[in-house]
């Protein structure tokens, strides 16, 4: 499931996916997987993302973790 909160937070900061990836020190394709919902970042990277995007980890990844909880049921 696509992570809309992450994409919206990035767009509000007027950043491209490549710019966020550069700030994180990762490839743009790796960051794109976070927004597409294919991957969830490690906790330390999620914290960095929240700081970069002036948001909270809970806000950015709440729907992603909820979807994963459903898969475990």
């Amino acid at each position: 499931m696509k992570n809309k909160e992450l994409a919206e937070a990035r767009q509000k900061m007027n950043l491209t996916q490549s710019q966020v990836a550069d700030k994180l020190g990762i490839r743009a394709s790796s960051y794109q997987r976070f927004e597409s919902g294919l991957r969830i970042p490690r906790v330390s990277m999620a914290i960095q993302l929240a700081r970069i995007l002036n948001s909270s980890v809970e806000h950015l990844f709440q729907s992603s973790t909820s979807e994963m909880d459903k898969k475990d049921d």
Side-chain angles (χ1 to χ4, degrees):
M1 173 173 210
K2 188 172 180 176
N3 188 329
K4 291 186 279 186
E5 289 82 7
L6 186 57
E8 288 173 3
R10 175 183 55 78
Q11 291 165 354
K12 282 182 185 177
M13 297 296 294
N14 293 315
L15 295 169
T16 66
Q17 289 180 338
S18 294
Q19 289 171 321
V20 175
D22 286 344
K23 290 176 183 286
L24 293 170
I26 61 174
R27 290 180 285 148
S29 60
S30 295
Y31 176 77
Q32 290 166 353
R33 289 184 190 103
F34 299 152
E35 279 195 19
S36 69
L38 295 175
R39 296 192 67 113
I40 296 176
R42 295 182 318 268
V43 172
S44 60
M45 188 161 295
I47 292 168
Q48 273 186 281
L49 262 171
R51 288 181 181 148
I52 291 166
L53 300 176
N54 197 27
S55 188
S56 69
V57 172
E58 294 84 3
H59 175 77
L60 294 176
F61 297 101
Q62 184 174 7
S63 63
S64 297
T65 55
S66 296
E67 286 300 313
M68 290 188 73
D69 289 342
K70 289 178 187 176
K71 290 179 185 177
D72 290 341
D73 291 342

